[in-house]
Amino acid sequence: MTLKSKIQVKNTIVELDGDEMTRIMWAMTKDKLLIPYLDMETDYYDLHIKHRDDTDDQVTKDAAAAIQKHGVGVKCATITATQDRVKEYELKQETKSPNGTIRAILDGTVFRAPIMVKNIIPANRNWKRPIHIGRHAYGDVYANQEIRVSGPGRTELTYIPDDNSETVTKVIHQFNGPGIIQGIHNTDASIRSFAAACFAYGYDRKVDVWFSAKDTISKTYDTNFKKIFDDEYDINWKSKYDEAKLTYFYTLIDDVVARIMKTEGGILWACKNYDGDVMSDMLASAYGSLALMTSVLVSPQGYFMYEAAPGTVQRHYYKHLQGEKTSTNPMAIIFAWTGCLKKRGELDGTLGVSDFAAKLEESALETIEGGTMTGDLVKISTQGESAQAVFMEDFFDAIKERLDSKL
Ligand code: NAP
Ligand code: MG
């Protein structure tokens, strides 16, 4: 294609670069599949672990603020610092998880859905359509306080109202020996926006919404989630759902775990923060691979951050550094970009951009369905020997070839 015929992306996309192998694939996605076709402006933030450390994580906060400004962002996978990483990259500190920091700023819900291809059959034969997960991205154990109880003593939970009304105190436990306690919280406002985001997503995608918690055991905390979901549904969604022949269903989390195995899919499963963390990885693996998962953070104010859900593929990166070619799967990164472009196109009213993103997705899916895929997928593909494990670069080139033939 010539420069002249590039597709114009009208408004700015916030770009959050990341670490290790996903950083390599990020650059390759742009160089091979985006920049040759799109005239787009990105507001770039480098979330490389060293740069986050150098800026005392200010770059992460700035990136989140930029998403609030421009509305749409796309994020590469990033290293969450550990003591090993502090040594490896000679960091000043163990900076917080950037995903956690961004989610705390934008609030909102993370929606994940498997990317399905014909030649990779989910481990559960019943699943014919995607099961989407809506993970509440605020509070609970991710914003907790913990105390190591060193020996005998009383532990309490206390609420001191600002209006000087009576303090509320409950004894957590009277310890006879060492132990642990934890304090977690959530806010009605965040839960309400979580519920609203889930109902909006279900309605948009035309899938039923299931919400699960453990209100039989957690009679205040989880019951509050359930009640807010019920209210939000009754007030704002019931008539729309009835009209669209969609349903909302609440049941206990263990009940959903059992039922989800028997469904055909085509459901949004709304999960509390921790449940969503765990269940999304279970679903990703059962649908095929963590590398075949899309993920988007939707904030209550209507900001969207599309992200590459899996990790930075550290092992492949070390091979790459030694000059070895790897067969790393870039699907989650490609789909983070296409998701972001589709949303940008939708918000800007630029059909050409959405159409380009759809064609890029088709090209990637058809490449895999045509038997050209990365090593992780060959292992689980129904094509067995006839599927071809190619190096990452060659996989990109195969997608590009299909894309060129569509444009
Ligand atoms: P990982 O990136 O999930 O990779 C674990 C293993 O899974 C790989 O060694 C590889 O198996 C396979 N794998 C994962 N993604 C693959 C892909 N795209 N293509 C092919 N194979 C893939 O986990 P990790 O390497 O242990 O984690 C590295 C870092 O990721 C950590 O520092 C963590 O903080 C970060 N992380 C970031 C995010 C995020 O930002 N979204 C999420 C999770 C973790 P084989 O080696 O057997 O081929
Ligand atoms: Mg997780």
Side-chain angles (χ1 to χ4, degrees):
M1 287 179 97
T2 63
L3 273 177
K4 252 185 174 171
S5 57
K6 275 193 181 185
I7 299 157
Q8 191 81 32
V9 182
K10 198 163 147 197
N11 285 303
T12 305
I13 286 170
V14 183
E15 177 184 355
L16 289 69
D17 208 346
D19 288 301
E20 299 192 314
M21 208 58 203
T22 38
R23 188 182 179 94
I24 308 289
M25 295 193 284
W26 190 262
M28 222 172 251
T29 302
K30 287 177 66 186
D31 290 348
K32 289 189 189 274
L33 303 176
L34 302 175
I35 291 167
Y37 309 97
L38 300 174
D39 191 357
M40 86 177 154
E41 202 174 297
T42 72
D43 190 5
Y44 179 89
Y45 294 84
D46 188 357
L47 267 60
H48 185 282
I49 187 159
K50 188 73 184 148
H51 191 229
R52 278 181 276 139
D53 190 61
D54 287 344
T55 61
D56 295 320
D57 217 20
Q58 189 57 41
V59 63
T60 309
K61 292 168 196 157
D62 291 347
I67 294 172
Q68 289 173 322
K69 181 175 168 204
H70 296 292
V72 183
V74 57
K75 180 184 172 291
C76 183
T78 44
I79 292 171
T80 298
T82 56
Q83 274 310 312
D84 289 346
R85 300 300 203 161
V86 169
K87 275 184 221 130
E88 181 181 357
Y89 287 92
E90 296 173 358
L91 307 177
K92 293 182 284 192
Q93 64 222 335
E94 241 180 74
T95 44
K96 285 191 191 161
S97 152
N99 295 325
T101 301
I102 294 166
R103 285 170 199 165
I105 296 171
L106 298 182
D107 194 349
T109 303
V110 176
F111 293 99
R112 294 201 167 162
I115 301 165
M116 294 183 80
V117 283
K118 291 194 189 89
N119 44 357
I120 295 173
I121 311 282
N124 181 340
R125 278 172 291 127
N126 296 327
W127 296 343
K128 305 279 186 273
R129 289 180 289 152
I131 295 168
H132 306 248
I133 286 232
R135 173 183 169 189
H136 188 205
Y138 178 84
D140 295 355
V141 69
Y142 301 86
N144 68 357
Q145 288 295 342
E146 304 186 332
I147 296 176
R148 167 73 182 154
V149 174
S150 54
R154 187 176 69 242
T155 54
E156 292 179 344
L157 195 61
T158 305
Y159 163 49
I160 306 157
D162 279 348
D163 65 3
N164 294 323
S165 55
E166 213 175 316
T167 297
V168 184
T169 298
K170 286 192 175 185
V171 173
I172 299 172
H173 189 65
Q174 177 71 50
F175 283 86
N176 297 319
I180 41 183
I181 57 166
Q182 180 184 68
I184 62 171
H185 80 281
N186 228 296
T187 67
D188 285 6
S190 178
I191 299 168
R192 198 167 298 117
S193 68
F194 167 44
C198 288
F199 291 125
Y201 183 98
Y203 189 69
D204 182 45
R205 304 291 175 102
K206 299 286 169 274
V207 290
D208 291 339
V209 175
W210 292 10
F211 175 53
S212 60
K214 195 75 181 180
D215 62 303
T216 48
I217 300 298
S218 171
K219 290 191 191 297
T220 302
Y221 201 100
D222 279 20
T223 297
N224 190 54
F225 274 83
K226 175 177 186 285
K227 192 181 164 318
I228 290 174
F229 263 76
D230 285 348
D231 288 350
E232 173 65 23
Y233 182 69
D234 289 341
I235 297 166
N236 295 321
W237 300 95
K238 190 170 184 324
S239 58
K240 284 184 186 156
Y241 270 54
D242 287 347
E243 212 170 284
K245 296 199 167 36
L246 295 171
T247 56
Y248 165 57
F249 174 55
Y250 170 83
T251 186
L252 295 170
I253 178 132
D254 33 359
D255 188 33
V256 171
V257 167
R259 283 171 190 261
I260 210 92
M261 295 299 163
K262 311 285 185 197
T263 70
E264 276 201 1
I267 291 163
L268 168 67
W269 180 6
C271 288
K272 290 175 59 200
N273 208 344
Y274 177 83
D275 299 337
D277 185 352
V278 177
M279 293 305 165
S280 58
D281 280 12
M282 189 270 288
L283 285 180
S285 165
Y287 268 98
S289 159
L290 209 58
L292 284 184
M293 201 77 173
T294 63
S295 182
V296 55
L297 175 71
V298 181
S299 88
Q301 291 80 22
Y303 310 130
F304 298 82
M305 185 181 78
Y306 293 81
E307 47 184 349
T312 58
V313 217
Q314 187 178 9
R315 233 170 55 87
H316 292 211
Y317 181 60
Y318 293 152
K319 284 188 185 168
H320 170 85
L321 287 182
Q322 282 162 9
E324 222 178 288
K325 279 188 167 186
T326 66
S327 184
T328 319
N329 187 343
M331 287 292 280
I333 287 174
I334 295 172
F335 274 67
W337 273 102
T338 54
C340 155
L341 287 167
K342 278 183 177 173
K343 182 53 75 178
R344 191 72 277 175
E346 182 195 316
L347 295 176
D348 297 347
T350 46
L351 271 180
V353 174
S354 307
D355 181 59
F356 168 81
K359 284 186 171 132
L360 176 49
E361 286 184 0
E362 279 166 29
S363 307
L365 297 174
E366 287 167 12
T367 300
I368 296 175
E369 288 176 347
T372 301
M373 57 188 91
T374 46
D376 56 322
L377 300 185
V378 167
K379 283 184 225 155
I380 54 170
S381 134
T382 52
Q383 275 175 283
E385 301 282 284
S386 70
Q388 196 195 351
V390 297
F391 290 125
M392 181 177 72
E393 282 95 329
D394 300 329
F395 184 63
F396 272 109
D397 289 339
I399 295 173
K400 187 176 169 56
E401 204 177 301
R402 283 186 192 261
L403 179 61
D404 283 334
S405 74
K406 285 178 195 287
L407 293 169

